[in-house]
Amino acid sequence: MREITYLEAVREAMQEEMRANPDVFLMGEDIGVYGGAFGVSRGMIEEFGPERIRNTPISEAAIAGAAVGAAMTGMRPIIELQFSDFITIAADQLINQAAKNRYMFGGKGKVPFVLRTPAGSGTGAAAQHSQSLEAWMAHIPGLKVVQPSTAYDAKGLLKAAIDDDNPVIFYEHKLCYRTKDHVPEGSYSIPLGKADIKREGTDVTIVATAIMVHKALQAAVELEKEGISVEIVDPRTIVPLDEETIVNSVKKTGRLVVVHEAVKRGGFGGEIASMIAESEAFDYLDAPIKRLGGLPIPIPYNPILEKAAIPQEEDIILAVKETLNRV
Amino acid sequence: MIDSVLQNDKKITEEKLQELLHQMWLIRFFDEKVDEFFAKGLIHGTTHLCVGQEATAAGAIAVLEERDKITSTHRGHGHCIAKGADVKRMMAELFGRVTGYCKGKGGSMHIADLDKGNLGANGIVGGGIPIAVGAALTSQMKKLGYVTISFFGDGATNEGSFHEAINMASIWKLPVIFFCENNQYGMSGPVKEMVNIVNIADRAKSYGIPGVVVDGNDIFTVMKVTAEAVERARNGEGPTLIEAKTYRWKGHSKSDGKKYRTREEEMEWRTRRDPIARMEKVLIEEGILNEEQARSIEQRAKQDIEDAVKFAENSPMPSLDSLLEDVYA
Ligand SMILES: Cc1ncc(C[n+]2csc(CCOP(=O)(O)OP(=O)(O)O)c2C)c(N)n1
C-alpha cells in the first residue's frame, strides 16, 4: 500500500467527502490559493472553486458562527482555524452555541460541522501558537473531540467526523503533519469512540494521544531491549472515549501510564486515571497509575526549554520503569 | 405611509394588517402575563420583556415569507410570536413543561422553532449574528432564495461578533438583514454613553452596506424599510443594517429598579409613542377597522394568552428520563 503524509491524508479525506457530498465545504483563513497556514488545503481551490473552498476574513468568531448557522440549515461545513489556540476567539460559538443548541432546543435540529485545527508545540511558535487545549473542549457536553496520531487514522477519523451530525473538534498535531503511513486509497472511515491498540504488550499499558503516541512507540522499542513489554493504546477520540479498550488493556497488564502533551493539571489524563480507578480494572492494578503531561507553564520559545515543557521519550521510559519498580 | 405599504407590497392586504394588530397585542399580553407570573414566582429563571417594542418584531417579520429565517435575542418573545410560534407552546416552555418548544429544557432565552425558520433566541448578546450569516450562506450556496433577519439590540453592536459577521456578510453579499432594535439601553447602559455616534446605522458605512434609521414604533415604516432590505437581499445585492429606534417599557429583566432612566422619559414613550395605539389609530383613520373591531381584536389576543396559560398549567413536567436525552444528535 502507498504511503502518504498525515497532511495529505487530511486533505484526501476532505477531497473525497467534498466530491461525494455537495453540502460539504471548507471555510477558513488563507485556505484558497495559499492552501492554509500549513498547506493542508493546497490545490483544493483548483478542483472545487472559491465557493466551496471559501477564504474568510480574519474573523474566528464569524467563521465558527457561520459554521453553526450553515450547519443548522443543512450544510456540513469543515472550518479550519490556523492554530488551535484561536479556539479562544471562536469560543462563544463553539461552547455556548454549537455544543448546546440541540439540547436547549429540546432535541430539535442538529449542528454538523468539523472544526479542524493544528495543535501542539515543537515548532518554536511559543505560547500563543503551541497549546494543547483538548481537555477544555472535552469538558463541554455536546462537542466531540478527535486527536488522530497517524495518517491512516487522520483520514478515517476525519471522514467519520464529517459524517457525524454533531460539532466535532478535530485536532491535528503540527508535528504529525509530516509523518507518513500506509493509507488506503478510496473511502474508509474509523468510528469515533473506538481506540486503537498501536502496539501489543503484556507488562504495562500506556495510553497516549496525538504526538505522544509516537514518543510512546519509541520508548517501547527501548524498553523492549530491557525485556519490558509495553502495550500502547491510542484512544484517537477523547469524546467519545473508548473506555472498554483501555479497561481491558489495564486488566491484562496491571499497570497504567497515561501520557499527553497538554498541561497535566486538569488534563485529560486525570480523567483516564479516574475512569480506571472507578472501573473493574482497579482491582487488577499492581502499581499506582502514572500520569505524564505538560508542565504548568505557557510553552516557551527556546527549543531546549520548549522540549523540557512536555513529556519526552525518557520521561515515558522512566515512568514505565517506576510502575515496575525497576528504577 | 400606509398607502405606500399597501401599494409597495401587494401581499399586505387589509386582512393582514388586522392580523398584525392582533399579533402586536399577542406579544404585549404574552409579556405582560409573563411579567405577572414572574412577580408571583410562578415562572422561574429570568425573562426579558419586549413590551413597547412590538412594532419591530411584527413589522419586520411581516414582510418575510415562511421559508425565510430569523435569529433572535434574549428579548425574543416578540420575534418568536411574529415568526409564527404557537403561544401555547411558548408559555409551556416558560413554565418548564414538556409540551414547551424545548421540552422545558430551554426556557425563555432558548426558544427555537426551526420548522418555522426561527433559528433560536440567544442568551449570548451578539451570539445569533454570525449564525444568521451562516444561514444566509446556506441560502446562497444552495440557491434556496430565502433571506435571514438577525435581530439584536444596540448593546450587541459593540460585540466583536457583530462586526465580524457584518463584514463577512458584506464581502460575500449574503442575503441577510441586520436588524438593530435600539431601545436606548443595554441593561443600564444608555446608548449615548456606549457608542460615540448618534446613529448605530452609521456603522454600516465601514462595511460598505446601506444603513437605515427607522422609527421602530411605527410598524408601517418598519415594514417598508425591511421590505426594501429583503428585496435587496433576494436580488443578491447583499445585506442592509436597519436601526429601529424604540423603547422597552419594562426594566431590563427581573428586579430592575430602572434607576438609570427617568419617569418622564418612560411616560413619553408609553403615552405618545405606543406602537400598538399608533397602528390602531392609523387603521381606524384609514377605515380598515372601526373602534368596535379594534376592541374585539384586542379581546381575542387577551383570550389567546389566557388559553396559553391554561395549556401551560395543565401540561406535565418533563420526566427525569429526559435529562440525558438530546445532548448529541
Ligand atoms: C456576551 C454577553 N454579555 C453580557 C450579557 C448580559 N446581558 C444580557 S442582555 C444585556 C443587555 C443587552 O443590551 P442590548 O443588546 O441593547 O439588548 P436589549 O437588552 O436592550 O434588548 C446584557 C449586558 C450577555 N447575556 N451576554
Side-chain angles (χ1 to χ4, degrees):
Chain A
M1 203 192 297
R2 73 193 169 135
E3 280 196 353
I4 59 172
T5 64
Y6 181 102
L7 184 152
E8 288 162 336
V10 170
R11 180 191 300 145
E12 197 167 276
M14 290 197 288
Q15 287 167 329
E16 287 179 12
E17 289 290 304
M18 285 182 64
R19 282 171 202 146
N21 184 351
D23 292 343
V24 180
F25 70 103
L26 177 58
M27 181 161 58
E29 296 157 17
D30 307 299
I31 58 164
V33 285
Y34 195 91
F38 288 82
V40 179
S41 57
R42 202 161 288 156
M44 286 180 71
I45 194 161
E46 281 80 2
E47 178 178 354
F48 299 103
E51 168 102 349
R52 292 180 74 199
I53 303 296
R54 194 170 271 265
N55 251 344
T56 67
I58 305 164
S59 304
E60 288 76 13
I63 295 167
V68 176
M72 284 175 77
T73 48
M75 302 296 285
R76 303 188 85 84
I78 306 169
I79 56 174
E80 176 179 296
L81 294 192
Q82 292 193 338
F83 288 85
S84 71
D85 311 68
F86 310 158
I87 273 181
T88 54
I89 318 292
D92 171 53
Q93 289 298 330
L94 301 176
I95 297 173
N96 293 320
Q97 316 289 344
K100 298 181 173 61
N101 266 359
R102 186 179 168 80
Y103 190 83
M104 59 187 192
F105 296 167
K108 257 188 299 182
K110 52 187 191 185
V111 194
F113 71 84
V114 182
L115 184 156
R116 290 181 34 241
T117 189
S121 65
T123 65
Q128 295 172 337
H129 290 72
S130 302
Q131 292 167 90
S132 302
L133 298 176
E134 63 273 6
W136 241 30
M137 293 297 114
H139 191 74
I140 308 301
L143 298 179
K144 293 189 177 180
V145 183
V146 183
Q147 288 188 283
S149 63
T150 66
Y152 175 85
D153 289 351
K155 180 173 174 185
L157 288 167
L158 184 51
K159 295 188 75 128
I162 295 167
D163 289 339
D164 197 279
D165 276 339
N166 299 283
V168 180
I169 312 292
F170 193 87
Y171 283 108
E172 296 162 12
H173 199 286
K174 298 180 198 91
L175 297 187
C176 291
Y177 274 145
R178 306 283 158 204
T179 62
K180 280 195 165 187
D181 195 10
H182 294 286
V183 178
E185 296 187 48
S187 209
Y188 67 97
S189 125
I190 297 173
L192 307 185
K194 189 81 200 78
D196 185 38
I197 298 180
K198 288 280 187 270
R199 179 190 170 105
E200 299 210 20
T202 50
D203 296 333
V204 188
T205 297
I206 299 180
V207 175
T209 53
I211 194 69
M212 290 302 156
V213 173
H214 299 273
K215 297 193 185 204
L217 283 166
Q218 286 159 13
V221 172
E222 291 307 310
L223 289 161
E224 192 175 28
K225 292 178 189 157
E226 299 181 39
I228 299 170
S229 164
V230 174
E231 175 145 306
I232 297 174
V233 180
D234 175 1
R236 301 194 286 199
T237 67
I238 60 173
V239 182
L241 181 66
D242 181 354
E243 299 187 1
E244 193 186 337
T245 300
I246 300 171
V247 166
N248 286 340
S249 176
V250 174
K251 277 163 74 177
K252 179 169 97 178
T253 63
R255 291 180 173 82
L256 174 63
V257 174
V258 187
V259 51
H260 57 61
E261 175 171 340
V263 171
K264 180 176 160 184
R265 177 179 71 209
F268 201 78
E271 182 61 31
I272 292 172
S274 327
M275 184 273 288
I276 288 298
E278 286 172 347
S279 78
E280 69 203 65
F282 183 72
D283 291 332
Y284 293 75
L285 283 178
D286 295 322
I289 297 169
K290 273 266 163 203
R291 190 159 56 104
L292 298 182
L295 298 175
I297 51 170
I299 297 295
Y301 168 65
N302 172 286
I304 299 164
L305 299 182
E306 183 185 31
K307 211 168 164 221
I310 65 165
Q312 300 298 338
E313 198 183 309
E314 313 80 80
D315 305 309
I316 300 172
I317 291 172
L318 183 65
V320 166
K321 287 183 177 170
E322 278 173 355
T323 63
L324 287 157
N325 256 330
R326 282 178 54 174
V327 212
Chain B
M1 185 47 76
I2 185 166
D3 281 346
S4 77
V5 166
L6 286 168
Q7 274 163 15
N8 259 350
D9 193 338
K10 301 281 175 266
K11 282 168 287 186
I12 308 291
T13 58
E14 296 192 355
E15 246 163 66
K16 168 104 184 189
L17 290 172
Q18 300 190 9
E19 204 183 290
L20 281 174
L21 182 64
H22 174 251
Q23 195 175 76
M24 289 215 281
W25 279 121
L26 267 187
I27 296 172
R28 174 153 309 172
F29 290 139
F30 185 90
D31 268 8
E32 283 183 341
K33 191 52 94 179
V34 170
D35 201 21
E36 178 192 327
F37 283 153
F38 199 79
K40 287 187 187 153
L42 292 170
I43 292 181
H44 88 153
T46 189
T47 61
H48 308 81
L49 309 176
C50 64
V51 176
Q53 302 183 196
E54 295 85 357
T56 45
I61 293 169
V63 301
L64 293 184
E65 296 170 13
E66 178 149 331
R67 64 184 172 141
D68 294 327
K69 307 202 184 306
I70 65 162
T71 64
S72 174
T73 69
H74 58 289
R75 201 175 301 288
H77 300 162
H79 311 137
C80 195
I81 291 173
K83 198 71 180 82
D86 176 355
V87 287
K88 289 194 173 79
R89 292 187 60 198
M90 284 175 65
M91 194 63 84
E93 186 57 36
L94 267 66
F95 274 62
R97 304 303 163 101
V98 73
T99 52
Y101 269 102
C102 316
K103 303 185 202 157
K105 286 173 172 172
S108 165
M109 282 192 290
H110 304 302
I111 297 179
D113 188 2
L114 301 176
D115 300 334
K116 290 268 167 63
N118 178 355
L119 301 179
N122 212 308
I124 306 294
V125 171
I129 311 177
I131 297 178
V133 169
L137 186 58
T138 299
S139 178
Q140 188 188 63
M141 292 184 78
K142 292 188 152 191
K143 302 191 172 43
L144 297 175
Y146 68 74
V147 304
T148 304
I149 298 186
S150 182
F151 290 97
F152 47 84
D154 42 282
T157 70
N158 297 323
E159 289 280 1
S161 61
F162 167 81
H163 298 276
E164 290 193 16
I166 203 165
N167 180 59
M168 195 181 260
S170 170
I171 57 170
W172 292 346
K173 287 207 172 350
L174 295 179
V176 56
I177 292 150
F178 299 100
F179 197 108
C180 175
E181 296 175 300
N182 178 357
N183 61 14
Q184 317 299 327
Y185 296 90
M187 229 156 145
S188 69
V191 67
K192 287 192 197 81
E193 291 175 21
M194 298 300 158
V195 299
N196 195 17
I197 47 175
V198 177
N199 292 319
I200 281 169
D202 288 348
R203 294 190 149 174
K205 281 201 191 77
S206 10
Y207 304 107
I209 62 167
V212 193
V213 181
V214 55
D215 178 347
N217 283 15
D218 173 9
I219 190 168
F220 304 112
T221 321
V222 171
M223 284 163 74
K224 179 172 174 289
V225 163
T226 314
E228 286 161 7
V230 167
E231 196 180 327
R232 264 179 59 78
R234 275 206 227 284
N235 288 341
E237 293 167 69
T240 304
L241 172 61
I242 298 173
E243 175 190 7
K245 309 259 191 198
T246 181
Y247 200 78
R248 62 164 153 76
W249 289 12
K250 310 267 178 186
H252 165 71
S253 63
K254 61 175 172 180
S255 61
D256 172 0
K258 295 184 282 181
K259 288 204 180 107
Y260 48 85
R261 64 191 200 190
T262 63
R263 263 255 165 263
E264 291 70 41
E265 180 184 293
E266 283 182 21
M267 289 321 288
E268 158 74 15
W269 284 89
R270 274 172 185 255
T271 53
R272 298 214 13 246
R273 308 197 203 178
D274 177 352
I276 300 186
R278 275 173 71 178
M279 183 190 196
E280 205 178 86
K281 185 160 171 277
V282 174
L283 294 186
I284 289 173
E285 276 169 11
E286 297 285 327
I288 291 170
L289 273 184
N290 60 34
E291 180 62 34
E292 197 185 329
Q293 286 167 315
R295 295 289 64 79
S296 107
I297 287 175
E298 182 184 344
Q299 268 316 310
R300 181 155 61 85
K302 197 167 241 167
Q303 188 56 50
D304 290 340
I305 299 302
E306 290 302 331
D307 294 346
V309 169
K310 273 197 208 91
F311 175 80
E313 282 173 339
N314 293 329
S315 292
M317 289 288 180
S319 78
L320 273 180
D321 295 343
S322 73
L323 183 63
L324 300 180
E325 289 168 4
D326 304 325
V327 179
Y328 292 97

